[in-house]
């Protein structure tokens, strides 16, 4: 793959874990229980993608597909100020798209295509959260096959955006914490193997002691499994 770019997640160790930051032409999935930091990393990336390359960004704009009303301009403000960026300018380069149901979410990808075609230099697409609508709408065993098919279709079109326009795709996925899951592999990830195959990078977020977070890279085809510790501060993600 040519011209792959990287976007810093704000922590050197975290970047190192995933090969230098989240990658363009790839889908990166973070999964973990509520409060593990998925939306916080999303907000961080929405800012850092705008940084110049020498500071870990791609000098690009961001599309934030918000499915659960988690986007917080105030949070962007804090993080942008931490980087001494112009807050209004930063907010202006984040295109927030609220998805009201799963069909709307799927159609949103066409809108992203249009936005890029119209000349916006989008380098990052965030879907926070990927699964919420699908989980709520396709309930029960009998609807699982349809859900997987719709999800596959959705992920496929996201991957196409990533490839066609050299964009990074970042998706969040809430999974229930099991008491023993801290010691093993999270086999019951919502979305299951559908996501396992689709996302090139999968990062499992866990809550650690004293407000720390642990990021673990899992199922990566070309990077070693490993972990790092990071913190969420008012100015964003730090080591
Ligand atoms: P969910 O699945 O419920 O959406 P999530 O993984 O997206 O959860 P986040 O919203 O990313 O969770 O993380 C919330 C946590 O981030 C809070 O519990 C808090 O610990 C931390 N946090 C949020 N804002 C700040 C801040 N301004 N300063 C420090 N820590 C913060």
């Amino acid at each position: 793959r040519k011209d792959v770019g990287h976007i810093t997640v704000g922590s050197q160790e975290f970047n190192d874990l995933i090969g230098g930051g989240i990658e363009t032409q790839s889908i990166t999935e973070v999964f973990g229980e509520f409060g593990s930091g998925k939306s916080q990393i999303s907000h961080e990336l929405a800012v850092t993608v705008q940084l110049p390359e020498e500071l870990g960004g791609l000098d690009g704009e961001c599309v934030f597909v918000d499915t659960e009303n988690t986007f917080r301009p105030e949070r962007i403000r804090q993080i942008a100020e931490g980087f001494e960026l112009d807050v209004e300018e930063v907010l202006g380069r984040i295109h927030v798209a609220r998805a009201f149901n799963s069909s709307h979410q799927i159609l949103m990808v066409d809108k992203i295509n249009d936005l890029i075609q119209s000349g916006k230099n989008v380098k990052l697409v965030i879907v926070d959260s990927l699964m919420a609508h699908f989980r709520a709408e396709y309930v029960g065993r009998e609807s699982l096959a349809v859900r997987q098919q719709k999800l596959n279709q959705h992920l496929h079109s996201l991957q196409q955006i990533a490839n066609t326009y050299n964009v990074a795709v970042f998706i969040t996925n809430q999974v229930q914490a099991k008491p023993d899951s801290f010691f093993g592999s999270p086999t019951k990830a919502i979305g299951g193997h559908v996501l396992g195959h689709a996302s090139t990078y999968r990062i499992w977020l866990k809550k650690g002691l004293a407000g720390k977070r642990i990021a673990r890279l899992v199922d990566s085809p070309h990077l070693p499994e490993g972990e790092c510790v990071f913190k969420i501060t008012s100015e964003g993600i730090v080591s």
Side-chain angles (χ1 to χ4, degrees):
R1 292 172 304 141
K2 278 174 59 191
D3 305 322
V4 170
H6 293 89
I7 307 166
T8 177
V9 290
S11 142
Q12 189 58 50
E13 285 82 359
F14 200 155
N15 286 338
D16 291 345
L17 178 73
I18 57 177
I22 75 153
E23 231 178 58
T24 61
Q25 302 172 40
S26 287
I27 298 179
T28 300
E29 174 197 354
V30 285
F31 63 101
E33 64 173 314
F34 70 94
S36 55
K38 304 180 293 294
S39 294
Q40 293 303 316
I41 298 176
S42 303
H43 283 73
E44 175 87 15
L45 289 166
V47 175
T48 58
V49 67
Q50 305 190 29
L51 293 169
E53 284 190 32
E54 60 271 23
L55 294 178
L58 292 173
D59 201 6
E61 310 203 8
C62 169
V63 175
F64 195 116
V65 179
D66 185 2
T67 73
E68 294 183 296
N69 231 346
T70 47
F71 181 75
R72 294 286 173 273
E74 314 85 69
R75 198 62 187 110
I76 296 296
R77 176 179 298 277
Q78 292 177 317
I79 297 169
E81 280 171 354
F83 284 103
E84 295 178 359
L85 296 170
D86 182 306
V87 174
E88 295 312 316
E89 228 169 79
V90 168
L91 283 167
R93 297 175 88 193
I94 302 172
H95 309 275
V96 182
R98 299 236 144 76
F100 301 113
N101 55 48
S102 67
S103 326
H104 192 207
Q105 185 177 329
I106 288 169
L107 286 174
M108 208 73 94
V109 182
D110 297 334
K111 292 273 190 292
I112 297 171
N113 242 307
D114 296 345
L115 190 71
I116 298 174
Q117 291 282 350
S118 80
K120 295 283 183 216
N121 184 33
V122 174
K123 285 287 136 197
L124 171 67
V125 173
I126 294 165
V127 185
D128 184 22
S129 88
L130 181 83
M131 293 291 300
H133 287 313
F134 289 92
R135 207 162 56 209
E137 292 164 31
Y138 297 93
V139 190
R141 277 196 162 276
E142 66 285 356
S143 55
L144 259 185
V146 184
R147 189 181 85 174
Q148 308 233 134
Q149 184 225 324
K150 296 276 184 193
L151 257 176
N152 273 332
Q153 180 199 341
H154 186 42
L155 286 162
H156 182 77
S157 50
L158 285 168
Q159 181 70 61
Q160 216 151 18
I161 296 248
N163 294 344
T164 310
Y165 304 111
N166 197 17
V167 161
V169 173
F170 185 79
I171 62 183
T172 74
N173 182 15
Q174 198 197 73
V175 300
Q176 264 83 47
K178 291 190 300 160
D180 60 338
S181 66
F182 294 93
F183 303 102
S185 191
T187 49
K188 288 282 189 283
I190 294 164
H193 61 277
V194 174
L195 296 195
H197 285 302
S199 26
T200 326
Y201 297 95
R202 305 189 72 214
I203 301 160
W204 181 21
L205 297 183
K206 297 174 274 182
K207 293 181 200 164
L209 295 174
K212 290 187 175 144
R213 299 291 191 286
I214 298 147
R216 162 167 273 272
L217 185 70
V218 296
D219 306 332
S220 171
H222 40 253
L223 285 177
E225 277 214 0
E227 286 189 351
C228 76
V229 176
F230 68 94
K231 276 183 283 192
I232 304 169
T233 70
S234 61
E235 297 192 335
I237 308 297
V238 298
S239 291

